[in-house]
Amino acid sequence: MKLAERLSKSPYFFKGSHSLFFDWFLKLVFSKKVNKGEFIIEAGDICDKLYYIEKGLVRIYRLEGEKEITTWFTKEGDFVTTVNSFHYGHPSKEYFEAIEDSVIYYINKKSYLYLVELSTNFAKFSIHELFNNLCEYQNQCEFLRTLSAPDRLKYIEEEYPYLLKRVKNKYLSSFLNIETTYLSKLLNQKIQENE
């Protein structure tokens, strides 16, 4: 979904009533094509941008020694940034890697803050999105910490079915914190149960 369309469908903007704001907004936002395997952010970068995924899928991960630990996936329609870097200016600890050919929009922090001050409705929209992401983070923390591996997979199947179709098992097993062979076994059991 195009970014302007995503904003205009929000309850904080009414069709036609914010055309001046959208004119300003579109002058401050840029789009970029990112090929599969390319990075949007790498560990050590200072991330001063807020991203919107118009098309594609991005894996977020960090390194623990040589091991990649997947922390989340972001898809079309999602806003994403590395929060500590964007807010505090700390170097990112994460990598954002396109795992599908993607189209992203981005706005730098200075322009974003300008828009927040310019438009109360944009500020409300931003707070709403922030709370959506905080709720998402809390849900992830709860299911990753409290559920057994089979229940974590069931949760993914119910809440994020696109991950089972679009993400390689090695990335999904890293996110679920289980061995890839065990994930394959669980997925095969699901297939047999459904036959």
Side-chain angles (χ1 to χ4, degrees), residues 53-153:
I53 311 300
E54 178 187 276
K55 175 187 171 220
L57 187 63
V58 174
R59 176 175 76 116
I60 301 168
Y61 72 94
R62 62 179 53 219
L63 291 176
E64 296 289 333
E66 296 293 316
K67 187 177 180 182
E68 294 180 1
I69 308 294
T70 301
T71 56
W72 190 233
F73 303 92
T74 186
K75 64 176 180 6
E76 50 280 331
D78 290 343
F79 290 96
V80 66
T81 192
T82 175
V83 179
N84 283 314
S85 191
F86 184 80
H87 188 64
Y88 294 118
H90 296 163
S92 174
K93 294 181 180 179
E94 296 177 313
Y95 295 83
F96 287 26
E97 178 189 17
I99 56 175
E100 295 177 357
D101 290 341
S102 301
V103 176
I104 61 168
Y105 286 85
Y106 61 93
I107 186 169
N108 68 41
K109 182 177 180 177
K110 184 178 177 182
S111 297
Y112 168 76
L113 293 174
Y114 170 74
L115 290 175
V116 166
E117 288 198 27
L118 179 71
S119 169
T120 303
N121 286 341
F122 184 72
K124 289 177 185 176
F125 174 83
S126 295
I127 291 167
H128 175 78
E129 291 299 318
L130 173 64
F131 274 100
N132 278 345
N133 285 339
L134 287 171
C135 290
E136 183 70 36
Y137 177 72
Q138 181 178 347
N139 291 342
Q140 289 174 33
C141 288
E142 288 173 3
F143 94 81
L144 286 173
R145 290 180 183 153
T146 61
L147 299 179
S148 67
D151 287 339
R152 276 181 261 157
L153 182 59

